[in-house]
Amino acid sequence: EFNFYDTHFRLLYEPSQKDYFRINFLALGNQLDFLENAIINGLSISRKSELAQNNLSAGIYYKRKWNEKLVSDVQLYGSWYQLKATNFDILNDQRLIQENEVVESGIKLSSIYQFANTTSIQIGYQFNETGITNFEQINNPFFEKIDKQVIITNSLFTELGHTLFQEQTLIKFGL
């Protein structure tokens, strides 16, 4: 048996010529269930194995045009992924449970300043946190393992852009 769902939502809103908002949301998932059958010593045995995956993600984006030379934006985002699985091996009398979860969130801020018609500079900051958890369990012989890791990044960035040849060529330098 297989089930699947998928839903997406996006809202775009411009309250003025200087302000722009975007909101996104995504939810999707699936589930697979199946029976494993075996005959052992004349007995019919059935076990249900299953796999389920779910994902949620969302983001908010805001851009402000302060004047003809300066534009700023901010972006907040997050996502969550989860996998749960149970798999039976009837002939070896084993059950394997596996779980995986990934959680991520972040924020990004940036501004672009237009020096002249052909030259601009962008500066910004980005923060990101990602956590991953893995779980595994076997019943025969018994074994269990949980592993969780988190990584946090902070980034500053800058980029200088220059257009040439009547805006036919764009050169960018970044750090």
Side-chain angles (χ1 to χ4, degrees), residues 3 11 29-30 61 65 68 84 87 102 105 110 137 147 166:
N3 294 304
L11 173 68
N30 59 63
Y61 174 81
K65 184 176 180 180
E68 292 303 315
K84 289 186 175 189
N87 188 26
V102 180
S105 60
S110 72
Q137 183 187 77
D147 181 40
Q166 298 165 345

Side-chain angles (χ1 to χ4, degrees), residues 43-61:
L43 294 173
S44 178
I45 300 173
S46 292
R47 298 285 185 263
K48 180 179 163 184
S49 294
E50 53 193 358
L51 170 69
Q53 296 182 86
N54 292 291
N55 186 41
L56 296 172
S57 61
I60 300 172
Y61 174 81

Side-chain angles (χ1 to χ4, degrees), residues 100-147:
N100 173 253
E101 183 178 60
V102 180
V103 179
E104 182 172 274
S105 60
I107 184 170
K108 181 181 176 183
L109 310 161
S110 72
S111 290
I112 299 174
Y113 184 77
Q114 191 80 31
F115 288 107
N117 289 341
T118 59
T119 306
S120 65
I121 188 167
Q122 179 180 14
I123 58 171
Y125 167 76
Q126 184 168 358
F127 170 84
N128 185 269
E129 181 177 6
T130 304
I132 300 172
T133 304
N134 290 302
F135 171 77
E136 189 173 51
Q137 183 187 77
I138 300 174
N139 69 329
N140 184 21
F142 185 79
F143 170 79
E144 186 172 275
K145 178 181 173 184
I146 298 174
D147 181 40

Side-chain angles (χ1 to χ4, degrees), residues 24-38:
N24 294 308
F25 175 78
L26 173 69
L28 57 93
N30 59 63
Q31 181 157 349
L32 174 66
D33 299 336
F34 63 93
L35 288 177
E36 182 176 342
N37 303 301

